[in-house]
Amino acid sequence: GSGWSVVSSLTPAIAAVPATILTSPHPAWNLPTGGAQWVSAGASGATGLPAATYTYRLRFKVQKCTIPQTVKLTGIAGADDVFKVFLDSNPTPVSACSGGWCFNTQNPTPSFTVNNLAPGSHVLTVVVVNTGGPTGMFLKAGLEGQCSKEPIKSDRAAEYSDKATDN
């Protein structure tokens, strides 16, 4: 699966379901996805779904390192018709596109960066408003940062150097 779950404003009482990977996206969806796949609330997303707000969620985790690390999240998104991307419960979107055609080179969407992402569990939420017809979204994102190598403990370093001088 895609890892994304989706819920529609038409059926808010129904629990989120896995998003559907669209193997044949709509031909007008020509934004470069960077290798990400288009997903939708249903298999007919490329041909048409009801007008609604579709909320997609993806959970991910940033590992905690013994030596603190600096992690940033970078990405780009696109959707049919308009969208906002949120990180965790922050009400300010990290990315957004309005005016429609947020899936086509006529309205290219900017990349986004979130610096200093804390260790722990996170949720990316993409809220897509579809006015009718085809609908779907893609999000290509990555985490940059890694745990630093831990220094050798001084007692072990001394142990190794003692062995080296004994020979």
Side-chain angles (χ1 to χ4, degrees), residues 104-165:
N104 190 281
T105 51
Q106 293 181 26
N107 191 9
T109 57
S111 60
F112 63 87
T113 300
V114 178
N115 291 307
N116 302 316
L117 200 58
S121 296
H122 296 278
V123 179
L124 273 171
T125 302
V126 182
V127 179
V128 177
V129 177
N130 182 41
T131 56
T135 187
M137 74 92 190
F138 78 88
L139 186 135
K140 171 73 173 180
L143 294 170
E144 295 179 28
Q146 61 184 23
C147 293
S148 303
K149 292 186 176 178
E150 297 185 41
I152 298 173
K153 293 181 181 176
S154 59
D155 59 341
R156 293 190 70 171
E159 181 183 320
Y160 291 135
S161 61
D162 287 347
K163 287 182 180 176
T165 55

Short mmCIF file of all heavy atoms in Angstrom, two decimals, residues 104-165:
data_model
loop_
_atom_site.label_atom_id
_atom_site.label_comp_id
_atom_site.label_asym_id
_atom_site.label_seq_id
_atom_site.Cartn_x
_atom_site.Cartn_y
_atom_site.Cartn_z
N ASN A 104 -0.91 20.75 -12.29
CA ASN A 104 -0.52 20.97 -13.67
C ASN A 104 0.56 22.03 -13.74
O ASN A 104 0.61 22.92 -12.88
CB ASN A 104 -1.75 21.40 -14.48
CG ASN A 104 -1.52 21.42 -15.97
OD1 ASN A 104 -0.92 22.36 -16.48
ND2 ASN A 104 -1.98 20.40 -16.66
N THR A 105 1.40 21.96 -14.75
CA THR A 105 2.49 22.93 -14.89
C THR A 105 1.97 24.36 -15.07
O THR A 105 2.74 25.31 -14.92
CB THR A 105 3.40 22.55 -16.08
OG1 THR A 105 2.60 22.34 -17.22
CG2 THR A 105 4.20 21.30 -15.76
N GLN A 106 0.66 24.54 -15.33
CA GLN A 106 0.08 25.89 -15.37
C GLN A 106 0.10 26.54 -13.99
O GLN A 106 0.05 27.76 -13.88
CB GLN A 106 -1.37 25.84 -15.88
CG GLN A 106 -1.50 25.43 -17.32
CD GLN A 106 -2.98 25.43 -17.75
OE1 GLN A 106 -3.80 26.14 -17.20
NE2 GLN A 106 -3.29 24.63 -18.74
N ASN A 107 0.11 25.75 -12.93
CA ASN A 107 0.10 26.26 -11.56
C ASN A 107 1.08 25.43 -10.73
O ASN A 107 0.69 24.66 -9.88
CB ASN A 107 -1.31 26.19 -10.97
CG ASN A 107 -1.43 26.95 -9.66
OD1 ASN A 107 -0.52 27.66 -9.26
ND2 ASN A 107 -2.55 26.80 -8.99
N PRO A 108 2.39 25.59 -11.00
CA PRO A 108 3.37 24.75 -10.28
C PRO A 108 3.37 25.05 -8.78
O PRO A 108 3.17 26.18 -8.37
CB PRO A 108 4.70 25.13 -10.92
CG PRO A 108 4.48 26.48 -11.52
CD PRO A 108 3.02 26.54 -11.89
N THR A 109 3.55 24.01 -8.00
CA THR A 109 3.55 24.16 -6.55
C THR A 109 4.98 24.25 -6.04
O THR A 109 5.86 23.54 -6.51
CB THR A 109 2.82 22.97 -5.89
OG1 THR A 109 3.45 21.77 -6.29
CG2 THR A 109 1.36 22.94 -6.29
N PRO A 110 5.24 25.15 -5.08
CA PRO A 110 6.60 25.29 -4.56
C PRO A 110 6.98 24.13 -3.64
O PRO A 110 6.11 23.51 -3.03
CB PRO A 110 6.54 26.61 -3.78
CG PRO A 110 5.11 26.71 -3.35
CD PRO A 110 4.30 26.06 -4.44
N SER A 111 8.27 23.88 -3.55
CA SER A 111 8.73 22.88 -2.59
C SER A 111 8.63 23.48 -1.19
O SER A 111 8.47 24.69 -1.02
CB SER A 111 10.16 22.47 -2.91
OG SER A 111 11.01 23.58 -2.84
N PHE A 112 8.72 22.62 -0.18
CA PHE A 112 8.66 23.10 1.20
C PHE A 112 9.77 22.49 2.03
O PHE A 112 10.32 21.43 1.68
CB PHE A 112 7.29 22.81 1.83
CG PHE A 112 6.96 21.34 1.97
CD1 PHE A 112 7.35 20.60 3.07
CD2 PHE A 112 6.23 20.70 0.97
CE1 PHE A 112 7.05 19.26 3.19
CE2 PHE A 112 5.91 19.35 1.08
CZ PHE A 112 6.32 18.64 2.19
N THR A 113 10.13 23.16 3.11
CA THR A 113 11.14 22.69 4.05
C THR A 113 10.68 22.99 5.47
O THR A 113 10.20 24.09 5.74
CB THR A 113 12.50 23.38 3.81
OG1 THR A 113 12.93 23.09 2.48
CG2 THR A 113 13.55 22.90 4.79
N VAL A 114 10.78 22.01 6.34
CA VAL A 114 10.54 22.20 7.77
C VAL A 114 11.85 21.86 8.46
O VAL A 114 12.32 20.73 8.38
CB VAL A 114 9.41 21.27 8.29
CG1 VAL A 114 9.22 21.45 9.79
CG2 VAL A 114 8.12 21.52 7.54
N ASN A 115 12.45 22.85 9.12
CA ASN A 115 13.73 22.64 9.80
C ASN A 115 13.52 22.19 11.24
O ASN A 115 12.47 22.44 11.83
CB ASN A 115 14.55 23.94 9.77
CG ASN A 115 15.03 24.26 8.38
OD1 ASN A 115 15.65 23.43 7.72
ND2 ASN A 115 14.72 25.46 7.92
N ASN A 116 14.54 21.55 11.80
CA ASN A 116 14.58 21.16 13.21
C ASN A 116 13.39 20.31 13.63
O ASN A 116 12.70 20.61 14.60
CB ASN A 116 14.69 22.41 14.11
CG ASN A 116 15.93 23.22 13.77
OD1 ASN A 116 17.01 22.66 13.58
ND2 ASN A 116 15.77 24.52 13.67
N LEU A 117 13.15 19.25 12.89
CA LEU A 117 12.07 18.32 13.22
C LEU A 117 12.49 17.50 14.43
O LEU A 117 13.56 16.89 14.44
CB LEU A 117 11.81 17.42 12.01
CG LEU A 117 10.48 16.72 11.93
CD1 LEU A 117 9.33 17.71 11.96
CD2 LEU A 117 10.40 15.89 10.68
N ALA A 118 11.67 17.49 15.46
CA ALA A 118 12.01 16.82 16.71
C ALA A 118 11.87 15.30 16.58
O ALA A 118 11.07 14.82 15.78
CB ALA A 118 11.08 17.31 17.83
N PRO A 119 12.64 14.55 17.37
CA PRO A 119 12.48 13.09 17.38
C PRO A 119 11.06 12.73 17.85
O PRO A 119 10.46 13.47 18.62
CB PRO A 119 13.52 12.61 18.39
CG PRO A 119 14.48 13.73 18.54
CD PRO A 119 13.71 14.99 18.26
N GLY A 120 10.57 11.60 17.37
CA GLY A 120 9.26 11.12 17.79
C GLY A 120 8.34 10.89 16.61
O GLY A 120 8.76 10.92 15.45
N SER A 121 7.07 10.65 16.91
CA SER A 121 6.06 10.36 15.89
C SER A 121 5.49 11.65 15.32
O SER A 121 5.28 12.62 16.05
CB SER A 121 4.92 9.53 16.50
OG SER A 121 5.42 8.28 16.91
N HIS A 122 5.25 11.64 14.02
CA HIS A 122 4.70 12.80 13.32
C HIS A 122 3.62 12.35 12.35
O HIS A 122 3.56 11.19 11.97
CB HIS A 122 5.81 13.53 12.54
CG HIS A 122 6.87 14.10 13.42
ND1 HIS A 122 6.74 15.29 14.07
CD2 HIS A 122 8.09 13.61 13.77
CE1 HIS A 122 7.83 15.54 14.77
NE2 HIS A 122 8.66 14.53 14.62
N VAL A 123 2.79 13.32 11.93
CA VAL A 123 1.74 13.06 10.95
C VAL A 123 1.75 14.17 9.91
O VAL A 123 1.68 15.35 10.25
CB VAL A 123 0.34 13.01 11.60
CG1 VAL A 123 -0.73 12.75 10.55
CG2 VAL A 123 0.28 11.94 12.68
N LEU A 124 1.86 13.77 8.65
CA LEU A 124 1.66 14.70 7.53
C LEU A 124 0.20 14.58 7.13
O LEU A 124 -0.30 13.47 6.94
CB LEU A 124 2.55 14.34 6.34
CG LEU A 124 3.95 14.93 6.33
CD1 LEU A 124 4.77 14.30 5.21
CD2 LEU A 124 3.91 16.43 6.19
N THR A 125 -0.48 15.70 7.00
CA THR A 125 -1.89 15.72 6.61
C THR A 125 -2.02 16.58 5.36
O THR A 125 -1.54 17.72 5.34
CB THR A 125 -2.78 16.29 7.73
OG1 THR A 125 -2.60 15.51 8.91
CG2 THR A 125 -4.24 16.29 7.33
N VAL A 126 -2.62 16.03 4.32
CA VAL A 126 -2.88 16.78 3.09
C VAL A 126 -4.39 16.87 2.95
O VAL A 126 -5.08 15.86 2.83
CB VAL A 126 -2.26 16.08 1.86
CG1 VAL A 126 -2.51 16.91 0.60
CG2 VAL A 126 -0.76 15.84 2.06
N VAL A 127 -4.89 18.11 2.99
CA VAL A 127 -6.32 18.36 2.86
C VAL A 127 -6.57 18.83 1.42
O VAL A 127 -6.06 19.87 1.01
CB VAL A 127 -6.81 19.41 3.88
CG1 VAL A 127 -8.30 19.68 3.69
CG2 VAL A 127 -6.51 18.94 5.30
N VAL A 128 -7.32 18.03 0.68
CA VAL A 128 -7.59 18.30 -0.73
C VAL A 128 -9.07 18.65 -0.89
O VAL A 128 -9.93 17.89 -0.44
CB VAL A 128 -7.25 17.07 -1.61
CG1 VAL A 128 -7.61 17.33 -3.07
CG2 VAL A 128 -5.78 16.70 -1.47
N VAL A 129 -9.34 19.78 -1.52
CA VAL A 129 -10.72 20.15 -1.83
C VAL A 129 -10.94 19.88 -3.31
O VAL A 129 -10.24 20.43 -4.16
CB VAL A 129 -11.00 21.63 -1.49
CG1 VAL A 129 -12.43 22.00 -1.90
CG2 VAL A 129 -10.77 21.90 -0.01
N ASN A 130 -11.91 19.02 -3.59
CA ASN A 130 -12.27 18.69 -4.96
C ASN A 130 -13.65 19.27 -5.25
O ASN A 130 -14.60 19.00 -4.53
CB ASN A 130 -12.28 17.18 -5.17
CG ASN A 130 -12.59 16.80 -6.60
OD1 ASN A 130 -12.10 17.42 -7.54
ND2 ASN A 130 -13.41 15.79 -6.78
N THR A 131 -13.74 20.05 -6.32
CA THR A 131 -15.02 20.66 -6.68
C THR A 131 -15.85 19.74 -7.58
O THR A 131 -16.93 20.12 -8.02
CB THR A 131 -14.81 22.01 -7.39
OG1 THR A 131 -13.95 21.82 -8.52
CG2 THR A 131 -14.16 23.01 -6.44
N GLY A 132 -15.34 18.55 -7.84
CA GLY A 132 -16.03 17.56 -8.66
C GLY A 132 -15.11 17.06 -9.75
O GLY A 132 -14.16 17.72 -10.14
N GLY A 133 -15.35 15.86 -10.22
CA GLY A 133 -14.52 15.28 -11.27
C GLY A 133 -13.30 14.60 -10.68
O GLY A 133 -13.30 14.19 -9.52
N PRO A 134 -12.23 14.49 -11.49
CA PRO A 134 -11.03 13.78 -11.02
C PRO A 134 -10.47 14.40 -9.74
O PRO A 134 -10.52 15.62 -9.57
CB PRO A 134 -10.05 13.94 -12.17
CG PRO A 134 -10.90 14.17 -13.37
CD PRO A 134 -12.09 14.94 -12.87
N THR A 135 -9.94 13.57 -8.87
CA THR A 135 -9.27 14.07 -7.66
C THR A 135 -8.22 13.07 -7.20
O THR A 135 -8.39 11.86 -7.32
CB THR A 135 -10.26 14.37 -6.52
OG1 THR A 135 -9.53 15.02 -5.46
CG2 THR A 135 -10.94 13.13 -6.00
N GLY A 136 -7.15 13.60 -6.68
CA GLY A 136 -6.06 12.80 -6.15
C GLY A 136 -4.99 13.73 -5.64
O GLY A 136 -5.12 14.96 -5.72
N MET A 137 -3.93 13.16 -5.13
CA MET A 137 -2.82 13.99 -4.66
C MET A 137 -1.54 13.15 -4.67
O MET A 137 -1.56 11.94 -4.69
CB MET A 137 -3.10 14.56 -3.27
CG MET A 137 -3.01 13.60 -2.11
SD MET A 137 -1.36 13.60 -1.42
CE MET A 137 -1.45 12.20 -0.32
N PHE A 138 -0.40 13.88 -4.69
CA PHE A 138 0.89 13.23 -4.46
C PHE A 138 1.66 14.09 -3.50
O PHE A 138 1.45 15.29 -3.39
CB PHE A 138 1.68 13.03 -5.77
CG PHE A 138 2.35 14.28 -6.27
CD1 PHE A 138 3.63 14.62 -5.85
CD2 PHE A 138 1.71 15.12 -7.18
CE1 PHE A 138 4.25 15.77 -6.31
CE2 PHE A 138 2.32 16.26 -7.64
CZ PHE A 138 3.60 16.60 -7.21
N LEU A 139 2.56 13.46 -2.77
CA LEU A 139 3.48 14.18 -1.90
C LEU A 139 4.79 13.41 -1.93
O LEU A 139 4.82 12.23 -1.60
CB LEU A 139 2.95 14.28 -0.47
CG LEU A 139 3.84 15.17 0.41
CD1 LEU A 139 3.00 16.12 1.24
CD2 LEU A 139 4.71 14.33 1.30
N LYS A 140 5.83 14.08 -2.36
CA LYS A 140 7.18 13.50 -2.35
C LYS A 140 7.92 14.22 -1.24
O LYS A 140 8.09 15.45 -1.29
CB LYS A 140 7.86 13.74 -3.71
CG LYS A 140 9.32 13.38 -3.75
CD LYS A 140 9.55 11.89 -3.75
CE LYS A 140 11.01 11.58 -3.98
NZ LYS A 140 11.27 10.16 -3.98
N ALA A 141 8.31 13.50 -0.21
CA ALA A 141 8.98 14.12 0.92
C ALA A 141 10.11 13.24 1.40
O ALA A 141 10.12 12.03 1.16
CB ALA A 141 7.99 14.36 2.06
N GLY A 142 11.05 13.85 2.07
CA GLY A 142 12.17 13.11 2.61
C GLY A 142 12.69 13.77 3.86
O GLY A 142 12.55 14.99 4.05
N LEU A 143 13.28 12.96 4.72
CA LEU A 143 13.93 13.45 5.92
C LEU A 143 15.43 13.51 5.66
O LEU A 143 16.01 12.57 5.12
CB LEU A 143 13.66 12.52 7.10
CG LEU A 143 12.22 12.44 7.58
CD1 LEU A 143 12.07 11.31 8.59
CD2 LEU A 143 11.79 13.76 8.19
N GLU A 144 16.04 14.63 6.03
CA GLU A 144 17.47 14.76 5.91
C GLU A 144 18.06 14.93 7.29
O GLU A 144 17.61 15.77 8.07
CB GLU A 144 17.83 15.97 5.04
CG GLU A 144 17.38 15.83 3.60
CD GLU A 144 17.72 17.06 2.78
OE1 GLU A 144 18.71 17.75 3.11
OE2 GLU A 144 16.99 17.32 1.83
N GLY A 145 19.06 14.13 7.60
CA GLY A 145 19.70 14.15 8.91
C GLY A 145 20.00 12.72 9.30
O GLY A 145 19.34 11.79 8.84
N GLN A 146 20.97 12.55 10.11
CA GLN A 146 21.30 11.21 10.57
C GLN A 146 21.97 11.29 11.92
O GLN A 146 22.48 12.33 12.30
CB GLN A 146 22.20 10.50 9.57
CG GLN A 146 23.53 11.18 9.35
CD GLN A 146 24.35 10.49 8.27
OE1 GLN A 146 23.82 9.81 7.42
NE2 GLN A 146 25.64 10.68 8.31
N CYS A 147 21.94 10.18 12.62
CA CYS A 147 22.61 10.14 13.91
C CYS A 147 24.11 10.26 13.69
O CYS A 147 24.67 9.61 12.79
CB CYS A 147 22.29 8.83 14.64
SG CYS A 147 20.57 8.68 15.13
N SER A 148 24.74 11.11 14.48
CA SER A 148 26.20 11.25 14.39
C SER A 148 26.84 9.99 14.97
O SER A 148 26.26 9.29 15.78
CB SER A 148 26.67 12.46 15.20
OG SER A 148 26.03 13.62 14.73
N LYS A 149 28.09 9.74 14.56
CA LYS A 149 28.80 8.60 15.13
C LYS A 149 29.16 8.93 16.58
O LYS A 149 29.57 10.03 16.90
CB LYS A 149 30.07 8.30 14.33
CG LYS A 149 29.74 7.80 12.94
CD LYS A 149 30.98 7.38 12.20
CE LYS A 149 30.54 6.81 10.85
NZ LYS A 149 31.64 6.40 10.04
N GLU A 150 28.95 7.95 17.42
CA GLU A 150 29.22 8.18 18.84
C GLU A 150 30.73 8.10 19.09
O GLU A 150 31.42 7.28 18.50
CB GLU A 150 28.49 7.14 19.68
CG GLU A 150 26.98 7.25 19.53
CD GLU A 150 26.24 6.31 20.46
OE1 GLU A 150 26.66 6.17 21.61
OE2 GLU A 150 25.25 5.73 20.01
N PRO A 151 31.23 8.97 19.96
CA PRO A 151 32.67 8.93 20.25
C PRO A 151 33.03 7.65 21.00
O PRO A 151 32.20 7.08 21.71
CB PRO A 151 32.89 10.16 21.14
CG PRO A 151 31.56 10.43 21.75
CD PRO A 151 30.53 9.98 20.74
N ILE A 152 34.24 7.21 20.83
CA ILE A 152 34.72 6.03 21.55
C ILE A 152 34.90 6.44 23.00
O ILE A 152 35.46 7.49 23.30
CB ILE A 152 36.07 5.54 20.96
CG1 ILE A 152 35.86 5.13 19.51
CG2 ILE A 152 36.64 4.41 21.80
CD1 ILE A 152 37.14 4.79 18.79
N LYS A 153 34.44 5.60 23.92
CA LYS A 153 34.58 5.91 25.34
C LYS A 153 36.06 5.91 25.70
O LYS A 153 36.82 5.08 25.22
CB LYS A 153 33.82 4.89 26.19
CG LYS A 153 32.32 4.98 25.98
CD LYS A 153 31.59 3.99 26.84
CE LYS A 153 30.10 4.09 26.58
NZ LYS A 153 29.36 3.08 27.33
N SER A 154 36.44 6.83 26.55
CA SER A 154 37.86 7.02 26.84
C SER A 154 38.50 5.78 27.47
O SER A 154 39.64 5.48 27.19
CB SER A 154 38.07 8.23 27.75
OG SER A 154 37.34 8.06 28.95
N ASP A 155 37.79 5.01 28.31
CA ASP A 155 38.40 3.84 28.92
C ASP A 155 38.69 2.76 27.87
O ASP A 155 39.69 2.07 27.94
CB ASP A 155 37.53 3.28 30.05
CG ASP A 155 36.13 2.88 29.59
OD1 ASP A 155 35.70 3.35 28.52
OD2 ASP A 155 35.48 2.11 30.32
N ARG A 156 37.83 2.64 26.85
CA ARG A 156 38.08 1.67 25.79
C ARG A 156 39.25 2.13 24.92
O ARG A 156 40.05 1.33 24.48
CB ARG A 156 36.84 1.46 24.93
CG ARG A 156 35.73 0.77 25.73
CD ARG A 156 34.63 0.34 24.84
NE ARG A 156 35.10 -0.77 24.02
CZ ARG A 156 34.33 -1.49 23.24
NH1 ARG A 156 33.06 -1.21 23.15
NH2 ARG A 156 34.81 -2.47 22.52
N ALA A 157 39.34 3.43 24.68
CA ALA A 157 40.45 3.94 23.87
C ALA A 157 41.77 3.67 24.59
O ALA A 157 42.75 3.27 23.97
CB ALA A 157 40.27 5.43 23.61
N ALA A 158 41.76 3.87 25.89
CA ALA A 158 42.98 3.61 26.67
C ALA A 158 43.31 2.13 26.63
O ALA A 158 44.47 1.74 26.52
CB ALA A 158 42.80 4.08 28.11
N GLU A 159 42.30 1.28 26.71
CA GLU A 159 42.51 -0.17 26.66
C GLU A 159 43.14 -0.56 25.32
O GLU A 159 44.09 -1.34 25.29
CB GLU A 159 41.15 -0.86 26.83
CG GLU A 159 41.22 -2.37 26.81
CD GLU A 159 39.83 -2.98 26.91
OE1 GLU A 159 38.99 -2.47 27.68
OE2 GLU A 159 39.59 -3.98 26.20
N TYR A 160 42.65 0.00 24.24
CA TYR A 160 43.22 -0.32 22.94
C TYR A 160 44.65 0.19 22.82
O TYR A 160 45.52 -0.49 22.32
CB TYR A 160 42.37 0.29 21.80
CG TYR A 160 41.02 -0.37 21.66
CD1 TYR A 160 39.88 0.37 21.50
CD2 TYR A 160 40.88 -1.76 21.70
CE1 TYR A 160 38.63 -0.23 21.38
CE2 TYR A 160 39.65 -2.37 21.59
CZ TYR A 160 38.52 -1.59 21.43
OH TYR A 160 37.30 -2.19 21.31
N SER A 161 44.92 1.39 23.33
CA SER A 161 46.27 1.92 23.20
C SER A 161 47.24 1.15 24.08
O SER A 161 48.38 0.97 23.72
CB SER A 161 46.32 3.43 23.52
OG SER A 161 45.90 3.65 24.84
N ASP A 162 46.78 0.66 25.25
CA ASP A 162 47.65 -0.16 26.10
C ASP A 162 48.04 -1.44 25.37
O ASP A 162 49.19 -1.85 25.41
CB ASP A 162 46.93 -0.55 27.41
CG ASP A 162 46.81 0.63 28.38
OD1 ASP A 162 47.49 1.65 28.13
OD2 ASP A 162 46.03 0.51 29.33
N LYS A 163 47.07 -2.08 24.70
CA LYS A 163 47.37 -3.31 23.97
C LYS A 163 48.34 -3.05 22.84
O LYS A 163 49.20 -3.84 22.57
CB LYS A 163 46.09 -3.93 23.43
CG LYS A 163 45.22 -4.56 24.51
CD LYS A 163 43.99 -5.19 23.91
CE LYS A 163 43.13 -5.81 25.02
NZ LYS A 163 41.88 -6.34 24.49
N ALA A 164 48.21 -1.91 22.22
CA ALA A 164 49.08 -1.59 21.10
C ALA A 164 50.53 -1.41 21.57
O ALA A 164 51.46 -1.76 20.89
CB ALA A 164 48.60 -0.34 20.38
N THR A 165 50.71 -0.87 22.78
CA THR A 165 52.08 -0.62 23.27
C THR A 165 52.68 -1.87 23.90
O THR A 165 53.88 -1.93 24.10
CB THR A 165 52.10 0.55 24.30
OG1 THR A 165 51.18 0.25 25.34
CG2 THR A 165 51.75 1.84 23.62
#
